[in-house]
Amino acid sequence: MSKEEQLDQLLERWEECSERGEFPTAEEICADYPELTGALREQINELRSINELLDWSEDPTEAAPSRSTEGSVNSEICDEPLTVEIGLNKAKFHARGGLGIVFTASDSQLHREVAVKFLHRGFSSHSDSRDRFCREAEITSRLDHPGIVPVHGIGETKDGRPFYVMRFIRGQTLELAIKNYYEQEAHWDEHKRNLEFRTLLTRFVSVCNTIAYAHNRGIIHRDIKPENIMLGHYGETLVVDWGLALPVQRDEHARASGERTLLPQTGNTNKNRLDDHGAGTPAYMSPEQASGETQIGMASDIYSLGAVLYKILTGQAPVDGKVLSLAEIRQRIREGRFTLPRAISRKISHSLEAICLKAMARSETDRYSSALALAADVERYLGDERVQAYQESPAEASFRWFRKHRLLAQVTFASVLLLLIVLVVSSISMGVFARKTVSANGELLQSAAKLTALTVAMEINDRWRILEMESRDPQLIGLLSNNPDPADPLSVDSFVNWLGRIERSYENTANAESWFLCNAAGVQVARIPEAESIGNSFSHRDYFHGNGMDLEPGEAGNPPYIDDVYLSVPYQSRNDNDMKVAFTIPVWSARLGHPDRRFLGVLGMSIKLGHFKILQQKLGPGQVAVLANLRNDDILSDLETYEILEPEKKGLILHHPMLSDEIHEKITNGETPPPRLSANLVEQLRQFADRRIRERGPNAVKSSEPGFLKSDYHDPTSILGNGYRGKWVAAFEPVMVEGRKIQGGLKVPLNTGWVVIVQKRAALSDLIFEK
């Protein structure tokens, strides 16, 4: 039992004793809980003072109306100020907030239970707190909507503390409802889980409509969270605690609603805006709130609504406030770093995740234009309609259509099934031919994969040949042999001029993203385009030492530098943050066998991932070429769930038609995981590559085994929602450069660790007649 629950029970025990005429002390009540004595004493004193303040004995003097004429009576009534007194008693502590304290009380005149919210005693003399408290009462009372608690009146106690009386809501918070759902769902059947989950979403739609009404009146809430949403026993959904609400400039959509602008008459709104900028609950505040901006708008509430939807979908807040400091929470919110909902639970639909992520977009312009638009998209999901935030695949659209038209779908299915039976029976004689056709399609894919892998290997070899030729340039050897000082501008200019000439010479053939040159110590002495990295040491980079992975800065490899042409593992550039691979070669002072031969440095060129356009050449209709890396890589990811799934970081997709520069930027920023082949498939392909090496090595015997073909391949980029979901038929071929390795005195292919994938959508015939 929590401390608050224990205090509530102890306070109820004290009230029961008081009703019997007994008045025990706080120490007597807390005999079993001495640590709660001080807190209980404070609540007893608070309750006593409230009861005294609510025990009004004064009766207002009433003047008898004149009966001369009906008109004169109406005139008197219209002109005379009318005062209404509410008699309250039996006050009982209910809850405590940051600004006020709430009691329940009995309305002795109308015989109803009401809630009375008082400003904390400690804030009574603080003018800003009084202004904000009274402004909350005014805004709440003037927002006339079923989703906002009605205010019955406002007043001031004898000692000057403001309070207001409002409807008392019997029910629970959305926070507690979500907690109960995730505690009980394991004990429910699928129908019960679905019913309760849809109920939570329906409540969320009501919240969106309430906030939309406030926005149309020109008011933003600024503290939307599950704890500030009350769920009544009879379907009521109310947004409470408008203590941080502020008026804002209405947009065109709000003005077109026909609602009148609500301009609070209480307090200094501009001063409050400056004093409490950045206020709100950290785990649910928008990036602009977390940044402390004073001019926030309706889009901030849209983000907070998205965070509430995130809590409904996952059972947890987007950012865990229990383990992080306030500064860390604000930093993560500003950067948009939170785990994707489907990374927490695969049961979450793609549509709901897309709605949530659109509402929680970092940029205000990328969010929903209004709370009504957000509510409409959730209602489309509940009505099994296509939501605007998610581009569904044709298969998903078909399944949704069948769900909505069950009777028609059943009739259609029965008709199609009958037709299929007829077709199958009538086409038995064509089965062998169909199987041969499927086999031929597979062979075409394998042939395309081999041709594409050969083309990539030739391009790699061409790049190495360029580097081999230029690494023997006497001018380059002379510059490096003089032990140049990387800090000397003249020395750097010499190298940059030489490298610039090389870049211009191969501008249309190498298509390199950058050219670079490091001396024997690994210090970069030149780069085209020029960058701040010149003068920094890169001896830890895989492209310098060739150990198959990047090391920590300052750590030397073993061996310390490459001794032949090399293809690096993928890495993230320090200059532009792009993901790249590098083709490098060592620069020697003399040819092999010369007594004065020594290592002078490394010459290289880099290629940006996704810029292997040669893959898309000479492909058949419907075929897609992809390039993947079977080795380890150093592309990091901030997504903790992804780190658990793929701890070894293999199978990175190097090129794919749908991997744009924009998506690569999201990958490098940790906003989405990099697409990878599964660990099991990577291991199968590595074994397949070893078999290809054996087939082409010395004394090789041609294998009778077929190539590597999968008829149920799933494209790893489908996690990005780019329309590549579903089954594909895919052929795989390792990229091997002929004659680049010596084995048994003979030249054999060098395995680059890359694999070409040529894939094609699985046709119906492939699924029926696949081997």
Side-chain angles (χ1 to χ4, degrees), residues 242 254 256 470:
W242 294 76
E470 296 302 332

Side-chain angles (χ1 to χ4, degrees), residues 674-744:
R676 298 176 184 273
L677 303 177
S678 68
N680 183 52
L681 180 57
V682 168
E683 183 57 32
Q684 292 177 2
L685 291 173
R686 288 166 72 96
Q687 295 177 9
F688 177 56
D690 291 341
R691 195 186 87 195
R692 284 289 196 231
I693 290 290
R694 291 193 299 271
E695 290 176 355
R696 302 181 190 180
N699 304 318
V701 177
K702 186 168 181 61
S703 172
S704 60
E705 298 182 32
F708 199 99
L709 184 72
K710 285 181 68 67
S711 59
D712 58 349
Y713 175 67
H714 291 271
D715 193 308
T717 67
S718 61
I719 62 173
L720 304 174
N722 57 11
Y724 273 69
R725 298 182 65 189
K727 282 188 177 183
W728 294 74
V729 180
F732 303 80
E733 191 66 32
V735 178
M736 299 185 180
V737 182
E738 297 290 341
R740 278 292 179 180
K741 186 176 180 181
I742 304 299
Q743 181 177 333

